[in-house]
Amino acid sequence: MATQSEPHRVVVVGGGFGGLRVVKALRGQDVQVTLIDRRNFHLFQPLTYQVATGALSPSDVTYPLRALFGSAPNVTVLLAAVIDFDLEQRRVRLAPDRVPGAPESVPYDTLVVATGSSYSYFGHDDWRRYAGEVKSLESAVAVRSRVLEALERAEASTEVADRRAELTFVVVGGGPTGVEIAGQIGELTRDTMTRDFRRISGEDTRILLVEMTDRVLGGFPPGLSARAQRSLQRLGVTPTLGREVVAIDGDGVTLKGPGGDAERIVTRTVIWAAGVRASGLAARLGELSGAEVDRSGRVTVGPDLSLPGHPEVIALGDMVRVGDGQGGVQDLPGVAPVAIQQGVYAAKAVRRRLAGQPVKPFHYVNKGNLATIGRGRAVADLGFLRLSGLPAWLIWLAVHIWYLIGYQNRLVVMFRWSFSFLSRGRTQGSRIISDPEDAAAAQINPSG
Amino acid sequence: MATQSEPHRVVVVGGGFGGLRVVKALRGQDVQVTLIDRRNFHLFQPLTYQVATGALSPSDVTYPLRALFGSAPNVTVLLAAVIDFDLEQRRVRLAPDRVPGAPESVPYDTLVVATGSSYSYFGHDDWRRYAGEVKSLESAVAVRSRVLEALERAEASTEVADRRAELTFVVVGGGPTGVEIAGQIGELTRDTMTRDFRRISGEDTRILLVEMTDRVLGGFPPGLSARAQRSLQRLGVTPTLGREVVAIDGDGVTLKGPGGDAERIVTRTVIWAAGVRASGLAARLGELSGAEVDRSGRVTVGPDLSLPGHPEVIALGDMVRVGDGQGGVQDLPGVAPVAIQQGVYAAKAVRRRLAGQPVKPFHYVNKGNLATIGRGRAVADLGFLRLSGLPAWLIWLAVHIWYLIGYQNRLVVMFRWSFSFLSRGRTQGSRIISDPEDAAAAQINPSG
């Protein structure tokens, strides 16, 4: 417990939705907060997929962490990778750095771990080499280059089979991210092909959305899934249901149908939006505390989000499962609203515990599920109300702009979307092919 | 000469300021235009340095070439690298591509070459490894990461000498680009340090602008150079005049003063904005036609911008010197207005020649020189009027927004600048450290 002279030290690992909320809620309080992240910016993950098709630019969906907390004297931002914890000594261990005198570990009184998840290839890590992702900023930019290059190569090619392979796009995973990215590729190819290209057309394009179950958006009511599927089809996307991916290589994808029959799809662009795996730090917390770790690498925390036996260690977001206090777990989706509510809860729990007040268990309030398919097309399940089409899209729009961090980002994104909507996609967007070779050549090597 | 049935084929190599103007002026004319560029976007080079400090984002200063000419049926965009010319067969040779059936060469009736220049290290190509540049988009993004990382490392370091090295920034070359980037680093460090960082301050920072001659902005009248130097000093930049760079390595820069004395500056960030060298295609045109090539690799073209003996081949921009018709050359600076006027001239020359009309020699109209130092600080030499400070900056602002390609870019940039000006830099900008390792890992490898 902190004394009057030495404020309570809260260390927050991870500047995603959860971690950021914790720090925001503790800003200006009588605690000393250190936010540790290996990147210098918060990434607005729900819109990262829009970077992958050039609808938004990287700076629209990112916000420098220092700019967020520059005016808060009790908050320190530390750019470092956390590699381990010492729960006994209450220290967070950092990856070794070349900076002389930089700390190797950081002490805490309360630790909040919120390092999220990454995509899992179900044991097929070699698929990662061939598939694109829209999880990190860099991966989304790489997908953008890949999709635009496929169009360029199709335009340049004179062989029908080759052109067809270039114009085949396979998205794996029919959840919100898969639906969003497939819909956006549909819009991109439809908009640009009719306008910007001379030899390729929308008819040559195939966009497959591969989903293991029998419908997309499994977390939504069946009626909304059906509407989403119709919207996707109108954008040129073929929902390919009941199919499992059994191989991804440099030449395409092999699917297995419900009857066990294999189907080969020749394509140059595969985007992976299927299962996720929790950050490795979740399993490490489980190992150190004896808490359960599930198949997806998530550690089970108590109903107050704390690690068993360690009330001073909180973990949250999609790297944890929350226990119900009776040996079971709450079934929470791995989405931003859960992380946000858990972050707000964690900050409150820290303050109440410091004040010697009891802490009630975490309770998630589901305000509704949203998924967008394209301009003017979305589905919304608000519980009491189910919407699709333009009304759902307007709600999606308002929610995403509202939660977008930073006033300037909100205005620029609102501006870009209005522009795009009014001009029916006739905007340049941010359709830049980054050249990894140029980027590598431009890398400065100060250490020789 | 074109017949009624087969339109005259104009091939334009390079989508910079010059090439773009040629294509724009020939849009909708009775010629078939092919624009070839190895990148899929036009880069607004006069503002690329603002990407290097996070003031603008990459998408603000780029515009996809296809989006520019999508609505012009007589214009085709080809994404390819030009490696050679066959002036006899009148063909442009392209770099081999993996796309089956893609053309190896493109025939022309008129050829316009406008492939610009890159930075020259005066024979010290090993310096390129250590120095940053703000010429290509990728190089500017790399400089941005480098500058921001230096601040992060300085904040993390506890050793005085190391912190001092991280907070020393050396810009080589006192021309407009060097002045602009040095001034911007001054603004960035001053703005962010007082706000976003806890342990480093502006007093620890050294920004040196190294120039061989005795003043910055040598192309401007001495009075404006003096004013620019005072503005730079107010932003924390030290103009380091009469010094020559004799070594750049992983640990710093060695300068030689007027007296021959060597000075060692320990720094982690060197930005090169000194001499330029013309695109290698200029020398190739000289070799093929016998035209003179100067020490900077520029080919000398006739007063009508055509290659000697080849009226059907035009070259323009900062890869050429323009002959005065009496054995001498016109002294033109390597700036966007020259390329723009030459592009407009070239398109007119093509049309007049097709109509059988005579072509007057190219004549450059210098409307003035502008250089900006920071928010509200610039110098303008309009010939009849010399301005500095806010009036010059407002002119600079208006000109750059006006020439910025694309309506959406203009609005977003105007918005970002207004925001930044009104908030006195209190904006998040685009201060993202891109991770080249993440980018490399995110690279998708379809060919195995």
Side-chain angles (χ1 to χ4, degrees):
Chain A
M1 204 84 330
T3 65
Q4 202 80 26
S5 56
E6 283 189 19
H8 190 86
R9 293 162 304 183
V10 181
V11 169
V12 179
V13 185
F17 283 105
L20 222 52
R21 284 290 155 161
V22 176
V23 181
K24 274 188 156 180
L26 294 177
R27 191 165 45 180
Q29 302 292 322
D30 189 26
V31 291
Q32 181 59 45
V33 184
T34 303
L35 171 60
I36 309 180
D37 199 301
R38 40 181 209 100
R39 307 305 302 269
N40 78 327
F41 56 87
H42 168 75
L43 176 65
F44 195 84
Q45 272 198 12
L47 289 179
T48 307
Y49 77 96
Q50 296 222 349
V51 172
T53 55
L56 291 178
S57 106
S59 63
D60 299 334
V61 297
T62 50
Y63 203 98
L65 293 174
R66 291 199 184 277
L68 275 171
F69 301 113
S71 57
N74 72 322
V75 179
T76 306
V77 176
L78 185 59
L79 197 68
V82 169
I83 52 169
D84 204 359
F85 308 101
D86 185 335
L87 299 188
E88 303 313 315
Q89 299 292 319
R90 300 196 173 177
R91 297 189 80 92
V92 164
R93 202 161 302 155
L94 306 179
D97 203 301
R98 287 163 305 156
V99 178
E104 286 173 12
S105 69
V106 178
Y108 63 80
D109 298 311
T110 293
L111 171 65
V112 181
V113 185
T115 46
S117 65
S118 58
Y119 278 112
S120 149
Y121 288 78
F122 307 130
H124 298 278
D125 274 350
D126 53 311
W127 294 357
R128 192 185 294 271
R129 186 172 168 196
Y130 307 108
E133 291 179 3
V134 294
K135 190 96 178 165
S136 75
L137 191 66
E138 281 79 5
S139 63
V141 169
V143 166
R144 179 178 74 184
S145 294
R146 186 102 204 100
V147 171
L148 295 173
E149 275 171 4
L151 299 182
E152 292 289 346
R153 283 195 304 264
E155 174 89 351
S157 176
T158 54
E159 287 188 17
V160 175
D162 183 68
R163 183 181 290 192
R164 193 166 167 79
E166 296 290 357
L167 293 179
T168 298
F169 301 91
V170 176
V171 178
V172 183
T177 302
V179 167
E180 283 166 349
I181 187 79
Q184 279 254 319
I185 294 175
E187 284 193 338
L188 174 75
T189 51
R190 186 197 57 185
D191 290 349
T192 60
M193 277 186 186
T194 49
R195 237 180 11 242
D196 293 355
F197 289 86
R198 296 286 174 263
R199 294 164 57 183
I200 54 178
S201 77
E203 284 94 73
D204 304 329
T205 309
R206 274 198 311 168
I207 306 163
L208 305 185
L209 179 59
V210 179
E211 165 58 37
M212 267 171 70
T213 70
D214 63 349
R215 61 183 175 105
V216 303
L217 299 180
F220 286 74
L224 290 182
S225 291
R227 280 173 188 274
Q229 282 168 210
R230 279 200 296 278
S231 289
L232 283 167
Q233 282 163 340
R234 249 175 257 129
L235 287 171
V237 178
T238 310
T240 308
L241 307 171
R243 303 291 205 299
E244 196 185 335
V245 172
V246 291
I248 303 179
D249 53 45
D251 201 45
V253 181
T254 307
L255 306 178
K256 203 173 71 183
D261 47 318
E263 189 189 350
R264 179 73 184 166
I265 293 157
V266 180
T267 172
R268 304 273 183 269
T269 311
V270 182
I271 295 164
W272 187 264
V276 293
R277 186 165 182 84
S279 148
L281 294 179
R284 183 65 185 142
L285 287 175
E287 208 179 312
L288 291 170
S289 69
E292 199 189 330
V293 177
D294 75 353
R295 285 200 323 152
S296 306
R298 291 178 297 178
V299 63
T300 302
V301 292
D304 64 349
L305 308 186
S306 73
L307 213 56
H310 289 278
E312 78 285 3
V313 179
I314 294 170
L316 53 83
D318 58 353
M319 67 183 285
V320 308
R321 291 194 303 172
V322 182
D324 59 8
Q326 281 119 45
V329 289
Q330 298 180 37
D331 186 23
L332 301 177
V335 294
V338 171
I340 288 172
Q341 289 183 31
Q342 289 180 339
V344 171
Y345 170 88
K348 205 170 170 183
V350 170
R351 290 170 59 185
R352 288 186 69 88
R353 215 174 280 141
L354 283 178
Q357 294 166 333
V359 178
K360 282 185 205 161
F362 171 73
H363 175 64
Y364 176 55
V365 183
N366 187 352
K367 294 176 184 163
N369 290 326
L370 291 165
T372 180
I373 300 116
R375 266 191 301 281
R377 294 184 172 94
V379 291
D381 176 15
L382 307 179
F384 62 99
L385 189 66
R386 286 168 190 179
L387 297 169
S388 63
L390 192 63
W393 188 74
L394 290 173
I395 293 174
W396 176 88
L397 202 70
V399 166
H400 281 76
I401 286 176
W402 175 261
Y403 278 100
L404 204 55
I405 284 179
Y407 183 60
Q408 195 183 348
N409 285 17
R410 267 180 235 161
L411 289 183
V412 170
V413 169
M414 201 154 65
F415 170 73
R416 282 203 213 272
W417 282 347
S418 317
F419 210 84
S420 165
F421 190 75
L422 296 174
S423 69
R424 312 197 65 184
R426 227 165 292 271
T427 59
Q428 99 273 14
S430 184
R431 293 201 294 272
I432 302 306
I433 300 179
S434 325
D435 188 334
E437 278 176 38
D438 270 30
Q443 255 189 70
I444 304 142
N445 192 345
S447 42
Chain B
M1 203 89 324
T3 65
Q4 204 78 29
S5 56
E6 284 189 18
H8 189 86
R9 295 164 302 182
V10 181
V11 169
V12 178
V13 184
F17 283 104
L20 222 51
R21 285 291 154 158
V22 176
V23 181
K24 275 190 155 178
L26 294 177
R27 190 164 48 180
Q29 301 293 320
D30 188 25
V31 292
Q32 181 60 45
V33 183
T34 302
L35 172 61
I36 309 179
D37 199 302
R38 39 179 212 101
R39 307 305 302 270
N40 78 326
F41 56 86
H42 169 75
L43 176 64
F44 194 84
Q45 271 199 12
L47 289 178
T48 306
Y49 77 95
Q50 295 222 349
V51 173
T53 55
L56 291 178
S57 106
S59 63
D60 299 334
V61 297
T62 49
Y63 203 98
L65 293 174
R66 290 199 185 279
L68 276 170
F69 301 113
S71 57
N74 72 321
V75 178
T76 305
V77 175
L78 184 59
L79 198 67
V82 169
I83 52 168
D84 203 359
F85 308 101
D86 185 335
L87 299 188
E88 302 314 314
Q89 299 291 320
R90 299 195 174 177
R91 295 188 83 94
V92 163
R93 202 164 300 157
L94 306 179
D97 203 299
R98 287 161 306 155
V99 179
E104 286 173 11
S105 68
V106 178
Y108 62 81
D109 298 312
T110 293
L111 172 64
V112 180
V113 184
T115 46
S117 66
S118 59
Y119 278 111
S120 149
Y121 288 78
F122 307 129
H124 297 279
D125 274 350
D126 54 311
W127 295 357
R128 192 185 294 269
R129 186 173 168 196
Y130 306 107
E133 290 179 5
V134 294
K135 190 95 178 165
S136 76
L137 191 66
E138 282 79 6
S139 63
V141 169
V143 166
R144 179 177 75 183
S145 294
R146 186 102 205 100
V147 171
L148 295 173
E149 275 170 6
L151 299 183
E152 292 290 346
R153 283 195 305 262
E155 174 88 352
S157 176
T158 53
E159 286 189 18
V160 176
D162 183 67
R163 182 180 292 190
R164 193 166 166 79
E166 297 291 357
L167 293 179
T168 298
F169 301 92
V170 176
V171 178
V172 183
T177 302
V179 166
E180 282 165 351
I181 187 80
Q184 281 254 319
I185 294 176
E187 283 192 338
L188 174 76
T189 52
R190 187 196 54 185
D191 290 350
T192 60
M193 277 186 187
T194 49
R195 237 180 12 243
D196 293 357
F197 289 87
R198 296 285 174 265
R199 292 164 57 184
I200 52 177
S201 76
E203 283 95 73
D204 304 329
T205 310
R206 274 199 310 169
I207 307 163
L208 305 185
L209 177 60
V210 179
E211 166 58 36
M212 267 170 70
T213 70
D214 62 350
R215 63 186 175 104
V216 303
L217 299 180
F220 285 75
L224 290 182
S225 291
R227 279 172 189 274
Q229 282 169 208
R230 279 199 295 278
S231 290
L232 284 167
Q233 281 163 341
R234 248 176 258 129
L235 287 171
V237 178
T238 309
T240 308
L241 306 172
R243 304 292 205 299
E244 197 184 334
V245 173
V246 291
I248 302 179
D249 53 46
D251 200 45
V253 182
T254 306
L255 306 180
K256 203 172 72 184
D261 46 318
E263 189 188 352
R264 179 72 183 166
I265 293 159
V266 180
T267 173
R268 304 273 183 270
T269 313
V270 181
I271 296 164
W272 188 264
V276 293
R277 186 167 182 82
S279 150
L281 293 178
R284 184 63 184 143
L285 287 176
E287 209 178 314
L288 291 170
S289 69
E292 199 190 329
V293 177
D294 75 352
R295 285 200 323 152
S296 305
R298 292 179 296 180
V299 63
T300 302
V301 293
D304 65 348
L305 308 185
S306 74
L307 212 56
H310 289 278
E312 79 284 2
V313 180
I314 293 170
L316 53 83
D318 58 352
M319 66 183 285
V320 307
R321 290 194 301 171
V322 183
D324 58 8
Q326 281 120 43
V329 289
Q330 298 180 37
D331 186 24
L332 300 176
V335 294
V338 171
I340 289 172
Q341 289 183 30
Q342 289 180 340
V344 171
Y345 170 88
K348 205 170 171 185
V350 169
R351 290 169 60 187
R352 288 186 70 88
R353 215 174 279 139
L354 283 178
Q357 294 167 332
V359 177
K360 281 186 208 159
F362 171 72
H363 174 64
Y364 176 55
V365 182
N366 186 354
K367 293 177 186 162
N369 290 327
L370 291 165
T372 180
I373 300 116
R375 265 193 302 281
R377 295 185 170 94
V379 290
D381 176 15
L382 308 178
F384 63 98
L385 188 67
R386 288 166 189 180
L387 296 170
S388 64
L390 192 63
W393 188 73
L394 290 172
I395 293 174
W396 177 89
L397 201 73
V399 167
H400 282 76
I401 286 175
W402 176 260
Y403 278 100
L404 205 55
I405 284 180
Y407 183 60
Q408 195 182 345
N409 285 17
R410 267 180 237 161
L411 288 182
V412 170
V413 169
M414 202 154 63
F415 170 72
R416 282 204 212 271
W417 282 346
S418 317
F419 209 84
S420 166
F421 190 76
L422 295 173
S423 68
R424 311 195 65 183
R426 230 163 288 272
T427 59
Q428 98 273 15
S430 184
R431 293 201 293 271
I432 304 305
I433 300 179
S434 324
D435 188 334
E437 279 177 36
D438 269 31
Q443 254 190 70
I444 304 142
N445 191 346
S447 43

